[in-house]
Amino acid sequence: MRPTVLIAEDHSVVRMGTMVMLEQMYPNILVSEAASFDEVIEQLSQTKFDLIILDIHIPGGDNIKMIETIHLRQPGIRILIFSSYDERLFAINYIQAGAMGYVQKDASNIIVKIAIAKVLNDEQYISADLQKNMVNRWLKTGNKPKKGLMVLSAREREIMNLLIKGHRTNEIKTILNIQASTISTHKERIFTKLNVENVIELEQLVRAEMKKGN
């Protein structure tokens, strides 16, 4: 097997580490790199890839909409999300959008290798912890209406995650490449949907929801 893989990540250290890992797994692998989503599009127009390892916040990307954009250019490509964001908040949305797996950047090398191997073998990768979390939530809610954090859209969850990490509007604007007014609108919707009045209450609610899934 000689897979072709595109690493879409703006941090050179992460790209290098991922490349070394891939070469250990597949000595004859062909690896390409992209540091922005514009470079991803350019690479997709030049080479047919078996797999793209994609960071959610690669510069120029549009978060979950990137999945559709990538598949429009290469319908058969496998997508593995490689993110620093908590899988319990984001993985399901990206997998439902068409990604075949989601692995956190703080996962062990063994876990990352398992995720890569599974996705390259046309298998979906979901961590054991996330599977447990999903089962627990299903047992508790069944087919009931969405509750807690599940009422938020993918974009609202991203902004929520940045807010509870202490990022201010100007920082979020730069990270997500969106207008400050858009952030304010999403923030207001988040507070309304979750019935909280400030970021402190939001953080407390998120912690409580995470405990429910464990």
Side-chain angles (χ1 to χ4, degrees):
M1 180 181 184
R2 191 181 192 187
T4 53
V5 178
L6 175 60
I7 302 172
E9 164 67 54
D10 60 317
H11 293 99
S12 59
V13 174
V14 178
R15 289 200 308 272
M16 181 61 67
T18 306
M19 183 181 297
V20 169
M21 188 181 303
L22 286 166
E23 290 174 344
Q24 290 173 346
M25 296 173 67
Y26 308 99
N28 61 343
I29 194 171
L30 296 176
V31 182
S32 298
E33 302 176 57
S36 69
F37 198 62
D38 287 340
E39 291 181 17
V40 169
I41 299 303
E42 182 179 354
Q43 291 275 10
L44 292 175
S45 67
Q46 297 174 355
T47 306
K48 186 177 185 302
F49 292 99
D50 297 305
L51 168 68
I52 177 171
I53 299 175
L54 178 66
D55 179 26
I56 288 176
H57 282 141
I58 189 167
D62 194 9
N63 303 293
I64 205 164
K65 292 182 181 179
M66 292 188 291
I67 305 297
E68 180 181 4
T69 302
I70 291 169
H71 277 149
L72 284 173
R73 283 160 175 77
Q74 289 197 21
I77 195 171
R78 306 164 182 86
I79 301 174
L80 174 63
I81 302 299
F82 193 37
S83 173
S84 59
Y85 277 8
D86 193 323
E87 62 181 9
R88 293 172 295 180
L89 297 178
F90 296 95
I92 298 304
N93 295 77
Y94 278 87
I95 289 172
Q96 288 177 338
M100 289 188 67
Y102 188 110
V103 64
Q104 292 183 197
K105 289 182 178 178
D106 60 359
S108 68
N109 285 353
I110 293 176
I111 293 298
V112 177
K113 287 180 178 180
I114 289 172
I116 291 171
K118 276 184 170 290
V119 173
L120 273 174
N121 197 40
D122 283 327
E123 298 177 42
Q124 191 176 75
Y125 174 78
I126 300 176
S127 74
D129 286 343
L130 182 59
Q131 290 180 44
K132 177 182 175 182
N133 183 274
M134 291 168 60
V135 170
N136 286 342
R137 285 184 177 275
W138 181 81
L139 290 173
K140 291 175 182 177
T141 63
N143 292 321
K144 296 176 184 178
K146 292 181 179 179
K147 292 184 177 181
L149 305 180
M150 296 303 293
V151 301
L152 302 181
S153 67
R155 174 65 89 184
E156 288 167 348
R157 290 190 187 194
E158 287 178 316
I159 292 174
M160 176 194 72
N161 191 63
L162 292 170
L163 286 171
I164 63 178
K165 285 185 175 181
H167 292 286
R168 298 182 180 277
T169 298
N170 284 339
E171 294 172 324
I172 297 174
K173 175 183 175 182
T174 301
I175 293 170
L176 299 183
N177 192 29
I178 57 178
Q179 297 296 318
S181 58
T182 302
I183 297 170
S184 297
T185 299
H186 281 301
K187 184 177 178 181
E188 183 178 348
R189 289 176 182 170
I190 292 167
F191 284 9
T192 299
K193 287 182 178 181
L194 299 181
N195 193 28
V196 297
E197 296 185 358
N198 51 55
V199 175
I200 294 176
E201 290 185 7
L202 177 62
E203 184 177 2
Q204 292 172 342
L205 176 63
V206 170
R207 287 180 179 176
E209 287 295 317
M210 291 299 97
K211 288 181 180 179
K212 289 180 182 179
N214 291 332

